[in-house]
Amino acid sequence: MKRSLTSIVAVAALALATSACGGDSGTDGPIKVGAINGITGLFQTPEVPKAVQAVFDEVNKAGGINGRKLEFITKDDAMNPQRSTEAAIDLIESEEVVALVGSSSAVDCGLNRATYSNNKIVSIPAVGVDATCFTSPNIAPVNPGPFKLITAMLYYASETLKRDKVCMYYTVLPGSGGGIENAIKEWTDITGKSLTVKDLSVGQGDPTPYLVKAKAAGCQAILYNAQVGPWFAQAATQGMTDVDFIMGANSYTDANAALIPAKINAYAGTEWQPYTDATLPGNERWSKVVDANKIQRTAFSQGAVMAADVFVEVLKGIKGDITRESVTNAFKNMKPIQYPMVGTPYVFGPGNAHNPIEGSRFVKVLNGKWQVLPEGFIVPGKN
């Protein structure tokens, strides 16, 4: 018999509401740390738990944290709501993890946010996907996320590229509409500017009507987040060589760069230092970890190394036993950590919402490859 998503969440929250002071990893055995990742299903990030494990292996080889080894337990939710809620329950109640570090699930935050709050456990995702990853008291990802990235992309278009007519042609994923509107408002509040065109109905079909409409409106810069090949082939056919197209981090792949026709100005905003250049600040540490362990170089693996590094640094500052309670207290009261792979310092803090990482670096397609642009991180309102 099928259960609705709402009922699954309600059951999970009820089951865990009374276990807010539940167990932890003890005080002398391994420090158990959990994560919920997409290994199978539609949103796959297999490199993320591998990179977190690699950092923890490094720490354990050096003696652990106060003599205790880190034990990493990852669950694959396959983007399945029931599996995700069951994974959270298992990690918290059965495995007694002290925190979740390096999660990369498309459904975890929305489904399990109440569970994490009820159990007073913190989650430091490697990849925050939906709005609830950034609006929950016990979750603070190490990436800007899609909405802060939109604000940075708009700011880059209007303030760095000096485009007066900025347009948006987007596909809206379920549950992300409010986040997009908030991102646009943040840009308007900072710059006093408004979009020339906002069309959130772009699908996978023929892009010609959208591009014709953009030409007629005089769009000078266009934010775009859907399928790359057909869109830019048609943009070239339409002769839109004087338009700056700006895509999100999801389009920042070698395969997409190869699909951009010559003479089209195509940019992408990144959440961490562009991973295609291992010499950038912070990337040296990441590339050393992933290369030594034969892990795929991706932006997601950057988030994994950063989440694990931040967690280890906070744990090293804890005086006394390392338990779920002491770890949560440490993150709620931590000082900001400067991490050169991102645009702003990382801090968890005591608030009810957390989106500490802001800004983006931009890359541009040149001869079928991404070229890192020289401006450094663009943080809206700060440069």
Side-chain angles (χ1 to χ4, degrees):
M1 183 172 124
K2 282 187 177 180
R3 289 191 293 171
S4 70
L5 180 62
T6 302
S7 66
I8 292 170
V9 174
V11 169
L14 181 62
L16 291 168
T18 57
S19 61
C21 298
D24 50 46
S25 300
T27 58
D28 54 3
I31 301 168
K32 291 188 175 183
V33 183
I36 299 176
N37 301 102
I39 306 301
T40 57
L42 295 177
F43 185 71
Q44 298 184 11
T45 58
E47 71 273 35
V48 171
K50 292 178 182 176
V52 173
Q53 183 67 65
V55 172
F56 287 178
D57 287 345
E58 183 183 76
V59 172
N60 290 339
K61 189 176 180 181
I65 306 291
N66 296 332
R68 296 176 65 188
K69 300 295 179 66
L70 294 171
E71 181 180 340
F72 185 49
I73 306 164
T74 177
K75 302 286 185 180
D76 172 22
D77 70 5
M79 207 174 163
N80 178 296
Q82 183 167 344
R83 284 183 62 168
S84 191
T85 54
E86 289 173 350
I89 292 169
D90 189 37
L91 288 169
I92 293 170
E93 288 197 333
S94 300
E95 300 292 353
E96 299 187 333
V97 300
V98 300
L100 288 97
V101 177
S103 290
S104 56
S105 159
V107 296
D108 166 45
C109 294
L111 292 168
N112 297 320
R113 60 184 297 186
T115 298
Y116 299 151
S117 294
N118 290 337
N119 284 273
K120 296 181 172 60
I121 188 169
V122 293
S123 174
I124 302 95
V127 184
V129 179
D130 64 74
T132 55
C133 294
F134 306 92
T135 56
S136 302
N138 280 43
I139 304 173
V142 299
N143 62 320
F147 308 114
K148 283 291 184 183
L149 185 59
I150 287 175
T151 303
M153 292 160 65
L154 291 169
Y155 191 86
Y156 184 73
S158 66
E159 308 308 307
T160 303
L161 298 178
K162 307 295 184 185
R163 294 302 203 174
D164 294 325
K165 292 189 174 183
V166 180
C167 305
M168 171 179 271
Y169 286 86
Y170 253 48
T171 295
V172 179
L173 299 176
S176 64
I180 292 175
E181 296 299 337
N182 290 338
I184 296 170
K185 182 179 183 303
E186 184 176 8
W187 167 66
T188 297
D189 289 344
I190 293 171
T191 65
K193 298 174 181 176
S194 301
L195 288 172
T196 299
V197 175
K198 180 181 68 178
D199 190 330
L200 305 183
S201 66
V202 177
Q204 300 296 322
D206 183 3
T208 304
Y210 300 102
L211 291 164
V212 169
K213 181 181 175 182
K215 283 184 68 176
C219 296
Q220 298 171 327
I222 296 176
L223 268 65
Y224 175 74
N225 74 335
Q227 193 174 8
V228 170
W231 179 270
F232 286 102
Q234 185 54 229
T237 300
Q238 294 292 326
M240 300 175 73
T241 57
D242 57 347
V243 176
D244 291 324
F245 292 93
I246 305 173
M247 298 176 285
N250 60 305
S251 297
Y252 173 42
T253 68
D254 292 341
N256 280 336
L259 294 175
I260 309 295
K263 298 182 181 180
I264 290 291
N265 297 315
Y267 302 80
T270 70
E271 296 192 278
W272 298 275
Q273 292 278 17
Y275 73 91
T276 47
D277 186 346
T279 68
L280 295 170
N283 277 0
E284 183 180 356
R285 156 70 178 158
W286 154 75
S287 62
K288 180 181 177 182
V289 170
V290 296
D291 290 352
N293 293 278
K294 296 181 172 54
I295 298 168
Q296 185 180 8
R297 286 188 175 197
T298 67
F300 291 161
S301 65
Q302 288 178 297
V305 172
M306 179 177 172
D309 278 348
V310 165
F311 179 68
V312 168
E313 184 166 341
V314 172
L315 251 61
K316 287 180 176 177
I318 295 176
K319 306 298 182 186
D321 293 338
I322 294 176
T323 64
R324 186 180 299 167
E325 181 180 10
S326 67
V327 171
T328 297
N329 287 337
F331 272 92
K332 294 283 187 177
N333 294 285
M334 68 178 285
K335 294 181 179 178
I337 293 176
Q338 296 283 351
Y339 203 86
M341 201 188 289
V342 289
T344 53
Y346 177 86
V347 63
F348 201 112
N352 289 324
H354 308 277
N355 204 158
I357 304 302
E358 298 183 45
S360 173
R361 285 207 72 169
F362 288 85
V363 292
K364 183 179 181 181
V365 172
L366 181 66
N367 298 324
K369 297 184 180 299
W370 295 109
Q371 179 185 38
V372 180
L373 297 176
E375 298 92 350
F377 279 99
I378 301 296
V379 182
K382 298 179 182 176
N383 59 1

